[in-house]
Amino acid sequence: MVQLYNLHPFGSQQVVPCKLEPERFCGGGSDVLFAAAGCKVEAFAVVGQELCQPRCAFSTLGRVLRLAYSEAGDYLVAIEEKNKATFVRAYGNWRSKRTENSRVCIRMVGHTVESPFSETFRDQMSIVEMPLSEAPLCISCCPVKGDLLVGCTNELVLFSLKYQIINEEFSVLDFEHSLVIHIDNITPVEVSFCAGYVAIMSDLEVLVLKLESGPKNGESVNYPRKTNNPMKQTKGISNETLPPESDDFVFCQKPVELLGEKSEQSGVSVRLESTGLAEEKIKYFHVQHLLYKRFAPDISSCVLSDDIKLHSLQLLPIYQTSSLTSVRKNSCQEKELLSLFCFFSLPHVGYLYVVVKSVELMSVYQYPEKSQQAVLTPQFLHVITSNSLQCFTVRCSAVAAREEDPYVDTTVKACPPVSMDVCALRIQLFIGLKAICHFKNHVILLTKADPEASPERRKLPKRLPSRKGASVKLKTPPVAEAGWNLYIVNTISPVQLYREMVDYSNTYKNAKTQSCIHLLSEAHLLVRAALMDASQLEPGEKAELLEAFKESCGHLGDCYSRLDTQHSHLALPYYKMSGLSMAEVLARVDWSVEDGSQKYERGLIFYISHSLYENLDEELSEELAAKVAQMFHVAEPKQLPHVLCSPSMKNINPLTAMNYLRKLDTSGFSSILVTLTKASMALKMGDLDMHRNEMKSHSEMKFVCGFILEPQLLIQHRKGQIVPTEFAFHLKEAQPGLLVASVLGLQKNNKIGIEEADSFFKVLCDKDEDRIPQLLVDFWEAQLVACLPDVVLQELFFKLTSQYIWRLSKRQPPDTIPLRTSEDLINACSHYGLISPWVNVLISSDSLADQNYTEDLSKLQSLICSPSFDIASIIPFLEPLSEDTVAGLSVRVLCRTRLKEYEQCIDTLLERCPEAIIPYANYELKEENRTLWWKKLLPELCQRIKCGGEKYHLYLSSLKETLSTVAVELELRDFLNVLPEDGTVAFFLPYLLYCSRKK
């Protein structure tokens, strides 16, 4: 379906001052138009909207049959006919042609230019002739690299563009005969070539191929199935030789469309023959089939018409752009292909395919009249009939936007769909249209009046009646009676046409929803396409286009937010792309109520709810906040508690919010979330009694669930910083346990990250980075107890042990009462291990320790006793904890024990706390460490008893315990061997007797 709008894409018109009637013409670059008549080519400089001046003229070697210009290399190429033979010649350095009789340089492809002639070549136009084994039928220049493809009867010949370097300051345009593509069963009428993609068209067939390079540096490549095999037969496709036509029957093939790999079954044989010599050029080794389409001739009438043929084959590239808001890159750098489109047309219908990544039919164009020729641009499709120039919209920018950003269709960004109906912007009357071409913002038209028409028919071209006056400026042709003219019709700037589309859309605003959205989408795509075509933008145009782009997003956001459509959710991404603030969007809403009941559409609700949930820094005024609350009270009452908790609703009157919340209760809608929101509003009102009554209505576990449902009751983000709410500050003083449990629940449900939670408690307790509040330590301990899967266990161990060590070393008590004791943690969490019994003997000797000191020490010792704890990681951080203290001693002995350094531990305990040595040995020296009783402990005790001293009795008592244990473990002979030789027999005799009698 094609929608028709009477808009004005054509701004002005001028006549090209050709001396002879052009047979072929083409435009290129930004400022040049070529017109060929017979054996003469005229070049015109096209500057601005009103100026077209002759630039130069030169003669060709034969009559020009086809003409093409390549911006890459700045050369003109022509198929010429002379003496009934056809040739292909390229014209380089044509800008240096001063007069028609100036000398030129003629040479064959690959002919080496000698250095002594460099100055001569610098000022001469060069003609390069292409040697071909078959007569050329059509030509195409690659817009990316400037390579030339020539179509012949049974083959396509590729000439790669290159330069012969004469010296450091001068090089000569040249070509390399690099590839021959042999094709069977299709005779090219037109070809198009772009960045390795080849499109071939016959009268009723189109074939699109992709040339692929071979392996590099010895890499292996999975080659596709060979394409030089005999023709493949598929079901429904017959390629057998047709019998000769008779007077009674006409044999026709069926119409076929094959996409992707299936197009290899077309029956067209393709074989590549590489002929290039230069190593640095890309060599194509195989071909990938992308598209094959065959049409059936029209046999509805008794006589076959020769006019039912394809025309206007074209490959249109769209290049990579960094982003819509980026600064334009240097245009001199090599263009990167983003997407590629293939267009071809029958007289009454045109087809547009996208052929990069996937091959799909994108748009079908139904013409109201029989077309003669068409040209595709990134923004429009221009079609000529015998009496009119038609302008259609295209969807290339919508496809390219999705290629450039696969996530464009999200809640952040959007783009009108590719499947949207195309529309005709204008049908402009012209008399006797014969041919069309396009470059930059110029449409070139050749008109030729019908010689049998009346004199009135040869007057100036007419136009349709329009809503705006004098949209197309006409100039009188210099020679009206000649019957032909070459016109330059300038398209107006995208911004100007965009403005007209927006004005026109207002007529549909309240009448037809889809028509309004459709036209605004067309305007959006028009601006987007202009931004993608960066090479066509002037420095001042981009800022204007970006502003129009944002404005168009705002208009589309308005449509989707106010009109009831199935795509109402698109209001959110379009408003985001518009750059409008939430207050500015709300200011565009019509709040007037006619019948007393306000209706709010889904799109606006969707936009406001998401904007409020995304922690925006914007704060709505009290008036707008009240309107938002009223909106959700009417349209989405279940979302009202969430809305009221948003930072953007900070300025809402708490009494107004409370009234809405109470209505939720009376309507039967009550939940823990409503209770918490009411409690929060009560705090804002300063009514502590109301707050306490609300907080008594549910259990602590339910309140935790409520905070998980709406984290913004506790934690908000402003300007990238975490900000605790007034509710959180109150809970810190009144119910710290609930606060810790709630934040833990948020982390467990991925509502807050680990670092965010730490920052929250630091900000809440107003502590700097060097001071850790006890509430944060309580949170870390709760994390360890909860065994959260996303928490790095050793990192959490490090946080806790570092804090315990710091407090013990500084004798620094916690700033608040800890929520859990060491006993609670040991009973609740496997990561807090049971403290070894001998540790209690050590710490009992410190009578000066206060309760807080003892609790921190017990928690540290318990962590060290945990099997999950990596002891080696904490050793370097024990330095602040002096070994002279009981805390330092116990921690170091625990760590060394975990590291299996038992002998050092025995030495330390014998020196510092002998009374703990036997409990230590009983608990630690077991199994494979049992031998230390007689190999280490027994000799050490005997040695220290000999020395006497004030600890003599402690050593003696420990020796007796040690002898009792050793006597049980060893045989009599072994026991005798470990006893000291200088001991008193009477002392050891009881242990010897026990050892000898134990069996």
Side-chain angles (χ1 to χ4, degrees):
M1 177 181 176
V2 177
Q3 302 195 30
L4 177 61
Y5 298 107
N6 191 21
L7 298 171
H8 303 80
F10 309 120
S12 64
Q13 173 182 301
Q14 53 187 315
V15 176
V16 181
C18 297
K19 296 179 180 179
L20 300 174
E21 178 182 349
E23 296 175 355
R24 304 290 172 187
F25 57 93
C26 67
S30 60
D31 64 344
V32 63
L33 170 66
F34 297 96
C39 297
K40 184 178 180 180
V41 175
E42 294 179 85
F44 301 90
V46 183
V47 182
Q49 299 289 325
E50 304 292 339
L51 190 59
C52 179
Q53 296 179 335
R55 180 171 231 156
C56 66
F58 54 88
S59 298
T60 60
L61 303 184
R63 177 170 169 264
V64 176
L65 303 179
R66 296 288 182 105
L67 197 64
Y69 170 78
S70 174
E71 185 176 2
D74 190 27
Y75 68 89
L76 185 73
V77 63
I79 296 180
E80 304 172 21
E81 181 184 37
K82 186 175 182 180
N83 299 329
K84 296 184 180 181
T86 52
F87 308 89
V88 175
R89 295 184 176 93
Y91 294 83
N93 201 25
W94 55 270
R95 295 179 188 269
S96 65
K97 185 77 171 173
R98 303 287 182 242
T99 63
E100 190 172 347
N101 295 324
S102 300
R103 295 183 63 183
V104 298
C105 167
I106 305 176
R107 56 193 173 86
M108 294 288 289
V109 162
H111 174 72
T112 304
V113 179
E114 300 297 334
S115 182
F117 300 99
S118 61
E119 293 303 319
T120 304
F121 283 114
R122 186 191 302 273
D123 299 324
Q124 286 185 0
M125 182 178 74
S126 62
I127 302 177
V128 183
E129 186 166 335
M130 317 290 174
L132 296 167
S133 59
E134 295 184 4
L137 303 176
C138 43
I139 51 176
S140 176
C141 301
C142 174
V144 180
K145 297 185 178 179
D147 297 341
L148 172 64
L149 185 70
V150 180
C152 304
T153 304
N154 294 305
E155 65 185 24
L156 308 178
V157 184
L158 178 62
F159 294 91
S160 299
L161 177 65
K162 68 174 187 177
Y163 291 90
Q164 286 192 31
I165 299 176
I166 305 301
N167 53 47
E168 294 180 357
E169 300 178 356
F170 181 61
S171 59
V172 176
L173 179 78
D174 199 6
F175 294 87
E176 178 192 358
H177 188 291
S178 59
L179 183 70
V180 177
I181 307 172
H182 297 276
I183 53 174
D184 295 326
N185 306 321
I186 184 171
T187 301
V189 174
E190 291 185 37
V191 294
S192 187
F193 182 60
C194 180
Y197 290 84
V198 178
I200 310 163
M201 186 181 78
S202 66
D203 287 341
L204 289 172
E205 292 176 284
V206 174
L207 177 65
V208 181
L209 310 168
K210 181 183 179 183
L211 303 178
E212 296 183 335
S213 57
K216 297 180 181 180
N217 301 326
E219 295 178 1
S220 61
V221 171
N222 294 323
Y223 287 87
R225 287 173 290 180
K226 293 182 179 179
T227 56
N228 57 347
N229 289 342
M231 296 177 294
K232 301 174 183 178
Q233 307 298 326
T234 59
K235 185 178 180 180
I237 304 177
S238 175
N239 293 290
E240 297 176 359
T241 304
L242 298 177
E245 296 183 4
S246 66
D247 294 337
D248 299 324
F249 298 99
V250 176
F251 293 90
C252 300
Q253 291 181 310
K254 295 179 181 179
V256 172
E257 180 184 65
L258 300 173
L259 304 179
E261 294 180 356
K262 291 184 178 179
S263 60
E264 292 188 36
Q265 303 168 3
S266 63
V268 178
S269 176
V270 181
R271 180 172 55 87
L272 303 185
E273 177 188 352
S274 179
T275 58
L277 300 176
E279 294 296 330
E280 69 274 7
K281 300 299 288 183
I282 295 178
K283 298 300 182 73
Y284 297 110
F285 284 95
H286 52 268
V287 63
Q288 178 184 357
H289 291 244
L290 300 178
L291 168 66
Y292 175 77
K293 192 171 182 72
R294 182 174 68 211
F295 297 89
D298 186 2
I299 56 174
S300 58
S301 59
C302 297
V303 180
L304 288 176
S305 172
D306 292 335
D307 295 335
I308 308 301
K309 295 179 181 179
L310 290 167
H311 64 78
S312 304
L313 176 69
Q314 186 178 348
L315 288 176
L316 176 74
I318 289 185
Y319 304 107
Q320 181 78 42
T321 58
S322 54
S323 71
L324 288 176
T325 56
S326 65
V327 179
R328 183 172 60 171
K329 295 183 179 179
N330 186 352
S331 59
C332 296
Q333 66 182 9
E334 184 176 344
K335 299 174 181 178
E336 181 181 352
L337 188 67
L338 176 65
S339 194
L340 189 66
F341 305 90
C342 181
F343 175 81
F344 47 87
S345 182
L346 286 170
H348 290 284
V349 59
Y351 299 89
L352 181 58
Y353 286 81
V354 57
V355 295
V356 169
K357 292 187 179 178
S358 63
V359 182
E360 299 177 41
L361 177 62
M362 197 170 73
S363 301
V364 176
Y365 293 87
Q366 300 286 345
Y367 312 134
E369 301 177 66
K370 180 181 177 182
S371 66
Q372 297 183 165
Q373 198 174 349
V375 288
L376 180 68
T377 75
Q379 299 177 17
F380 303 112
L381 173 68
H382 298 291
V383 181
I384 59 169
T385 66
S386 60
N387 294 311
S388 67
L389 167 63
Q390 303 174 10
C391 177
F392 295 87
T393 58
V394 296
R395 302 287 167 259
C396 299
S397 58
V399 173
R402 287 169 172 83
E403 290 289 340
E404 190 171 44
D405 184 1
Y407 304 101
V408 75
D409 296 307
T410 63
T411 58
V412 179
K413 290 166 286 188
C415 183
V418 178
S419 58
M420 187 173 65
D421 290 338
V422 297
C423 70
L425 295 182
R426 183 75 176 170
I427 299 179
Q428 182 75 44
L429 290 183
F430 276 88
I431 302 300
L433 284 171
K434 298 300 179 183
I436 183 175
C437 78
H438 176 276
F439 73 99
K440 202 176 179 183
N441 62 330
H442 308 295
V443 177
I444 317 302
L445 299 173
L446 175 62
T447 65
K448 188 174 182 180
D450 188 348
E452 298 179 359
S454 61
E456 288 80 6
R457 296 285 291 174
R458 294 199 299 270
K459 290 183 180 179
L460 299 179
K462 298 180 181 179
R463 55 184 174 86
L464 287 175
S466 64
R467 298 180 292 106
K468 296 188 178 181
S471 65
V472 178
K473 302 174 184 178
L474 304 180
K475 294 186 177 181
T476 305
V479 187
E481 62 274 11
W484 62 268
N485 270 308
L486 190 64
Y487 294 101
I488 297 180
V489 179
N490 300 305
T491 56
I492 66 173
S493 69
V495 172
Q496 186 177 344
L497 183 56
Y498 160 78
R499 301 287 179 207
E500 186 179 354
M501 286 181 165
V502 172
D503 291 342
Y504 197 10
S505 70
N506 291 330
T507 61
Y508 297 100
K509 200 166 188 179
N510 299 319
K512 295 182 179 179
T513 300
Q514 294 301 329
S515 294
C516 181
I517 292 178
H518 183 273
L519 190 51
L520 287 173
S521 297
E522 294 288 3
H524 177 86
L525 287 177
L526 173 69
V527 177
R528 186 185 279 271
L531 284 167
M532 284 186 166
D533 196 7
S535 62
Q536 303 295 333
L537 294 180
E538 297 298 330
E541 287 181 312
K542 187 162 188 178
E544 191 177 13
L545 280 169
L546 285 173
E547 189 62 32
F549 179 83
K550 291 181 179 180
E551 182 185 296
S552 73
C553 293
H555 289 314
L556 284 170
D558 291 342
C559 277
Y560 286 112
S561 67
R562 298 172 188 174
L563 303 174
D564 187 15
T565 73
Q566 61 179 337
H567 302 294
S568 298
H569 62 280
L570 292 175
L572 176 62
Y574 279 120
Y575 273 141
K576 282 184 179 179
M577 294 162 65
S578 72
L580 293 171
S581 66
M582 191 164 30
E584 290 170 331
V585 171
L586 290 171
R588 297 157 77 109
V589 176
D590 183 9
W591 298 99
S592 60
V593 181
E594 295 180 0
D595 57 356
S597 61
Q598 179 78 47
K599 182 182 179 182
Y600 303 100
E601 296 297 344
R602 291 176 299 167
L604 181 62
I605 296 293
F606 187 79
Y607 164 73
I608 296 296
S609 61
H610 276 75
S611 298
L612 292 173
Y613 297 161
E614 290 177 355
N615 298 322
L616 299 178
D617 297 330
E618 180 184 5
E619 294 181 3
L620 298 177
S621 65
E622 182 178 346
E623 180 184 0
L624 285 178
K627 288 182 177 180
V628 170
Q630 166 68 16
M631 179 194 307
F632 280 90
H633 172 70
V634 173
E636 290 285 343
K638 290 186 178 182
Q639 296 297 322
L640 187 58
H642 296 285
V643 168
L644 293 174
C645 294
S646 170
S648 300
M649 299 286 285
K650 177 184 178 182
N651 296 323
I652 191 169
N653 189 318
L655 284 173
T656 304
M658 190 66 80
N659 289 334
Y660 287 131
L661 290 170
R662 284 171 178 159
K663 290 178 182 178
L664 289 179
D665 281 340
T666 57
S667 64
F669 175 76
S670 60
S671 70
I672 185 63
L673 187 55
V674 175
T675 301
L676 285 174
T677 310
K678 289 165 68 177
S680 176
M681 291 301 162
L683 283 178
K684 287 187 177 182
M685 296 164 58
D687 193 338
L688 293 180
D689 290 336
M690 183 187 297
H691 172 81
R692 280 191 286 268
N693 289 334
E694 295 293 339
M695 295 302 290
K696 289 178 182 177
S697 58
H698 297 282
S699 66
E700 182 175 295
M701 199 63 231
K702 286 188 176 180
F703 282 130
V704 171
C705 295
F707 286 122
I708 293 172
L709 288 173
E710 185 44 77
Q712 292 186 120
L713 281 164
L714 296 176
I715 304 170
Q716 296 181 353
H717 294 75
R718 291 176 192 164
K719 297 180 180 179
Q721 300 295 323
I722 290 179
V723 179
T725 63
E726 186 178 352
F727 204 162
F729 280 105
H730 180 79
L731 289 180
K732 172 198 151 191
E733 303 297 335
Q735 295 176 277
L738 173 59
L739 180 62
V740 170
S742 299
V743 178
L744 187 66
L746 294 179
Q747 185 181 349
K748 194 171 185 178
N749 288 273
N750 299 318
K751 298 294 183 71
I752 189 173
I754 297 174
E755 294 181 2
E756 284 182 310
D758 290 0
S759 299
F760 167 76
F761 282 108
K762 288 179 181 178
V763 175
L764 184 70
C765 299
D766 194 21
K767 299 293 182 182
D768 56 28
E769 291 296 326
D770 297 330
R771 298 293 297 274
I772 304 297
Q774 174 58 37
L775 206 57
L776 180 53
V777 177
D778 292 329
F779 176 67
W780 290 341
E781 292 172 349
Q783 281 183 304
L784 207 53
V785 171
C787 300
L788 297 184
D790 60 332
V791 172
V792 180
L793 197 59
Q794 295 304 323
E795 184 177 340
L796 193 55
F797 278 145
F798 172 75
K799 290 179 180 178
L800 285 167
T801 52
S802 298
Q803 184 59 22
Y804 295 148
I805 290 170
W806 183 84
R807 285 184 184 172
L808 291 169
S809 63
K810 302 291 185 181
R811 289 277 182 170
Q812 181 73 37
D815 54 338
T816 58
I817 299 174
L819 296 178
R820 291 174 183 260
T821 64
S822 58
E823 186 177 354
D824 294 335
L825 292 172
I826 291 171
N827 293 332
C829 178
S830 61
H831 295 305
Y832 279 90
L834 288 171
I835 301 175
S836 304
W838 56 267
V839 176
N840 294 326
V841 180
L842 267 179
I843 62 175
S844 62
S845 61
D846 189 358
S847 58
L848 300 177
D850 58 22
Q851 182 63 31
N852 290 325
Y853 182 89
T854 305
E855 278 296 316
D856 284 339
L857 180 57
S858 297
K859 291 176 181 179
L860 178 59
Q861 292 168 343
S862 178
L863 278 182
I864 295 174
C865 292
S866 168
S868 309
F869 189 70
D870 181 14
I871 296 298
S873 64
I874 200 62
I875 295 296
F877 300 96
L878 294 178
E879 187 176 348
L881 202 57
S882 174
E883 196 170 352
D884 295 335
T885 64
V886 171
L889 177 64
S890 63
V891 169
R892 279 179 168 78
V893 173
L894 273 173
C895 289
R896 289 171 185 163
T897 301
R898 287 289 312 278
L899 295 173
K900 298 184 178 181
E901 298 174 359
Y902 299 105
E903 294 188 19
Q904 294 183 28
C905 294
I906 292 171
D907 291 337
T908 301
L909 289 177
L910 287 174
E911 182 66 31
R912 296 289 307 281
C913 189
E915 58 268 32
I917 188 64
I918 295 303
Y920 176 85
N922 283 328
Y923 191 80
E924 305 293 349
L925 304 184
K926 299 175 181 179
E927 298 176 358
E928 69 273 8
N929 300 316
R930 202 73 173 171
T931 58
L932 293 177
W933 278 91
W934 53 86
K935 290 185 178 180
K936 175 65 179 176
L937 184 56
L938 180 61
E940 285 289 337
L941 287 171
C942 292
Q943 184 64 33
R944 292 176 185 273
I945 288 174
K946 290 178 185 178
C947 298
E950 59 181 17
K951 296 182 181 181
Y952 172 81
H953 293 290
L954 289 174
Y955 293 142
L956 183 60
S957 174
S958 299
L959 178 60
K960 291 178 180 179
E961 291 287 342
T962 302
L963 287 171
S964 297
T965 301
V966 175
V968 172
E969 294 295 326
L970 297 182
E971 296 294 334
L972 181 60
R973 185 185 298 275
D974 296 330
F975 185 40
L976 284 171
N977 289 335
V978 301
L979 292 178
E981 297 179 356
D982 54 349
T984 305
V985 175
F987 179 82
F988 295 105
L989 187 58
Y991 304 101
L992 287 168
L993 290 173
Y994 177 79
C995 185
S996 63
R997 294 173 181 170
K998 64 183 177 181
K999 289 188 178 180

